[in-house]
Amino acid sequence: MSEVFRFGKAAADAQQAPVPVMIAGQAIIATRCISVLLLVNELGYDGIADFIHRSAQAWDSTLIFIASQMLFFVELRCALTLMHGSRRGRLLYALSQAVVLLYLWAASIGWIYPEIFSISGANNVEIFHRLIMHKLPDLLVLLLLFVPASSRQFFQRR
């Protein structure tokens, strides 16, 4: 009852997200922001300008570039909403990871032509192994969102 007087009714009704969900949301935000910083550091201003210029040369690479930027913002939005208990945020993040995994696999094998985001390898098994190692942090985040009982109960109540 004292929480109602201190923080108001909304704070008393709001339920705190469990630790695995908070860690997963913060991990999504951190990995996406750090990956952008590492890319900017690796390419520099001229490299980023050249990358954007090359991406704008053809419609297919432009669409893939725009889709990758949209996916970045969708993942950030999913991270914020799932920390508030949105079941849709959790499912949309899982769906986005499935789409990314499928695209990377198809681009790495050579089925999709502008292979902007592809993973090199000698054969399909090596490509698949490198792809799983590349997506391991995202797979661990998905495990934090779907496996612990506290995470499942948190999203079932919402």
Side-chain angles (χ1 to χ4, degrees):
M1 186 70 171
S2 64
E3 286 187 28
V4 173
F5 291 122
R6 267 191 237 143
F7 304 111
K9 184 171 173 34
D13 291 340
Q15 210 164 13
Q16 187 68 20
V19 173
V21 173
M22 293 301 288
I23 290 173
Q26 292 170 2
I28 293 168
I29 294 168
T31 56
R32 297 309 175 257
C33 292
I34 289 173
S35 67
V36 168
L37 289 175
L38 288 173
L39 183 66
V40 167
N41 185 44
E42 181 71 26
L43 295 178
Y45 178 76
D46 294 332
I48 290 174
D50 186 48
F51 177 69
I52 293 171
H53 178 72
R54 278 187 284 132
S55 294
Q57 295 298 317
W59 278 106
D60 50 359
S61 59
T62 303
L63 289 176
I64 290 173
F65 179 73
I66 291 171
S68 69
Q69 299 307 308
M70 286 179 52
L71 186 67
F72 173 79
F73 290 113
V74 165
E75 288 177 345
L76 287 180
R77 178 69 179 158
C78 288
L80 294 173
T81 60
L82 68 87
M83 286 192 286
H84 289 293
S86 171
R87 203 177 299 150
R88 280 187 282 173
R90 180 175 77 149
L91 295 176
L92 187 60
Y93 180 72
L95 180 68
S96 70
Q97 291 309 305
V99 167
V100 168
L101 195 66
L102 239 132
Y103 175 79
L104 284 174
W105 178 69
S108 298
I109 289 178
W111 288 358
I112 298 176
Y113 179 64
E115 300 159 348
I116 296 174
F117 306 106
S118 65
I119 296 174
S120 62
N123 54 22
N124 288 345
V125 174
E126 185 178 345
I127 289 172
F128 184 72
H129 182 263
R130 286 187 180 186
L131 182 60
I132 294 299
M133 295 320 272
H134 178 73
K135 297 303 289 177
L136 190 61
D138 298 319
L139 293 173
L140 292 174
V141 166
L142 285 171
L143 284 175
L144 284 174
L145 291 174
F146 285 95
V147 173
S150 60
S151 297
R152 287 179 292 169
Q153 290 169 356
F154 178 66
F155 289 109
Q156 284 175 353
R157 282 183 266 162
R158 301 291 176 153

